[in-house]
Structure formats: C-alpha cells, structure tokens
Amino acid sequence: MRARRLFVVLFAFLGGCFVFGPSEPAEGRGPCPSGMAYIDADKAHAFCIDRWEATVVEINGKDESPHSGTHPVTNLKVKAVSRAGVTPQGYISKNEAETACKNARKRLCTGEEWEKACRGKKPTTFPYGDERKSGYCNDSGKAPLASLYPGEDVYGNDKAMNDPRINAAPNTVAKTGEYGKCKNGYGVYDMVGNLHEWTADVHEGGTRGVFRGGYYQDTHLNGDGCTYKTVAHGVDYHDYSTGFRCCSAPK
C-alpha cells in the first residue's frame, strides 16, 4: 500500500504523465560512441555516423589543443570531434579528413552510408522531407570572395580559396546544430548545406574524391539535397567549403 502511495505522489509530482516504450540511448551508452547516431540499415550493415559535422583538435604528443575551423590543417596532426555548437572544420582535404577520422578511431563514411543517413528513417530527398524548405538548412549563405578579392578570378587561386576570412564572415558557415530543423529522424544535423562533406568514395583510380550534401551557398548544382555529389576534385584538394564527418562500426 505504501509503495502504491509513493507511486501516486511521484506520478503527480511529474505532472501526471508518463511514457511507455523504448527511448533513445543516453550519449555513449548505446551501440555508438558519444556524439554519433546509430543507423540500422538492414541489421547486417548497421553503422554509426557523427551527429554533427566534424571539428578537429590538434594532437601534440599526448596533448590535444583546440583548432579553429576557419583555418586549414596543413601539416598538422588532427583528430576529428563530433560536438554541437562549434564551428565545423572547413578547408580540409579528403586525405586530411580520412586521417582525422582515423585518429579518432573512426573512418570516413562510404557514399552509400552517407546518403542512407542523410535521407533518414523514411527516405526523403532532404533530411526533413521531399521538398526544399527555405531556412531549414544553411543553404542560402554567400562567401565574400568578391569583396575580399575585387576584380580577381579566385577560383584557381588556392591561397584565396583557403583564406580564413571567408568562413569567419557573417552569412557563411554556421555552428554545428544551429539550424535545428536541418535534422533527420536519426538525430543527425546539417547533412545538407553548411559544408561539403568528404566521403570514402573515390573515382579515376583513387585520384579524385567525392563530397556530398552541398554547402551554405549551393545545395542544388550537383543534385538536390541528399543526392548532391561532387567528383571534380582531387583527394588532396581543399577550400573554404570542404568539411567532413566520420562513421564507425557499432560496438
């Protein structure tokens, strides 16, 4: 009788409401590491994917230190981190992204994994549905190249395309998870827009990489939403628009 009375008191204290059924595993307690989502593709091919676009930390011996996502990682040893509310790492090549994932005991996602995760539990063209909705994802920004380099053709200029001032400017890259509606049923953010995301896929004998999802200035030119795919650049190419996220096997 006493147990019943305690239950009634607790029930009333909690607002007279409770929910039966499974809940999402606490961070790091499910089949995936903290900061990752579980994608149950077909049982035999389940995988984990970063919930947010990757940022990185620098590794110096046994020490780690912050690294600004608006600066390249050239000649640095870095490790990928999946975390909300930070500026994701742009200015990174496929090779560098691959190493950053490896240093985090992860790997780059295959294109098939990436698209499966992007489309969500009930596959759609965009993470949130089949029709593009203005303002849901960061896909209407503008890189300030013209104001930084007036009158210049910067698209063949590696130094200009990797200028840290580009993504430090307003209306460019957003912090991870800032666009709360740019999320799918798996709880994964920003897979369309914000930054291009390198995948493990390669073309032309491994010399050209593949990035997916578009970035803050374009999510349409090479396919809409989750179908967006660019294969034009080498595996060592990077500019202000190139980012990544990692995948791994479940525990």
Side-chain angles (χ1 to χ4, degrees):
M1 186 67 180
R2 183 179 179 186
R4 176 182 172 85
R5 189 173 299 148
L6 286 171
F7 172 81
V8 171
V9 171
L10 178 60
F11 182 79
F13 178 75
L14 293 175
C17 172
F18 70 159
V19 179
F20 291 97
S23 59
E24 186 175 326
E27 279 285 295
R29 292 193 178 184
C32 296
S34 180
M36 303 189 84
Y38 179 64
I39 314 297
D40 188 358
D42 59 8
K43 298 293 183 182
H45 299 94
F47 60 96
C48 303
I49 189 168
D50 285 346
R51 293 182 62 202
W52 298 280
E53 289 178 320
T55 185
V56 302
V57 293
E58 297 179 22
I59 300 175
N60 302 288
K62 294 183 178 180
D63 297 325
E64 295 180 355
S65 57
H67 178 83
S68 170
T70 61
H71 287 72
V73 300
T74 308
N75 298 323
L76 296 174
K77 184 177 182 180
V78 296
K79 181 179 80 173
V81 178
S82 174
R83 185 166 54 223
V86 295
T87 300
Q89 180 64 49
Y91 308 88
I92 194 166
S93 71
K94 176 187 182 294
N95 288 343
E96 291 167 336
E98 205 160 44
T99 300
C101 287
K102 183 178 179 181
N103 288 338
R105 298 184 179 179
K106 302 177 184 179
R107 56 177 173 77
L108 283 179
C109 309
T110 66
E112 183 178 2
E113 288 172 333
W114 189 96
E115 188 163 334
K116 167 66 180 175
C118 182
R119 287 180 176 274
K121 294 181 178 181
K122 298 179 179 179
T124 51
T125 303
F126 295 86
Y128 48 78
D130 278 323
E131 301 296 327
R132 179 187 176 274
K133 295 185 179 181
S134 179
Y136 271 46
C137 293
N138 184 17
D139 58 5
S140 299
K142 188 168 181 62
L145 290 167
S147 60
L148 291 174
Y149 299 93
E152 296 185 39
D153 180 9
V154 299
Y155 289 100
N157 183 333
D158 284 345
K159 184 178 180 180
M161 293 293 282
N162 287 278
D163 189 331
R165 294 177 297 173
I166 298 173
N167 282 356
N171 202 31
T172 59
V173 70
K175 293 185 184 300
T176 53
E178 181 177 333
Y179 282 73
K181 293 182 178 179
C182 195
K183 179 179 75 167
N184 58 31
Y186 294 117
V188 180
Y189 291 82
D190 303 323
M191 294 197 77
V192 169
N194 216 33
L195 290 175
H196 291 303
E197 297 184 14
W198 287 108
T199 65
D201 294 4
V202 290
H203 285 266
E204 296 186 19
T207 61
R208 291 191 179 276
V210 181
F211 49 71
R212 305 294 304 265
Y215 75 118
Y216 59 76
Q217 194 166 257
D218 168 42
T219 60
H220 173 73
L221 186 63
N222 295 322
D224 285 323
C226 297
T227 69
Y228 192 108
K229 180 192 299 186
T230 299
V231 297
H233 300 290
V235 294
D236 57 353
Y237 176 83
H238 55 86
D239 66 29
Y240 66 93
S241 73
T242 56
F244 72 110
R245 75 178 71 217
C246 307
C247 281
S248 71
K251 295 178 184 176

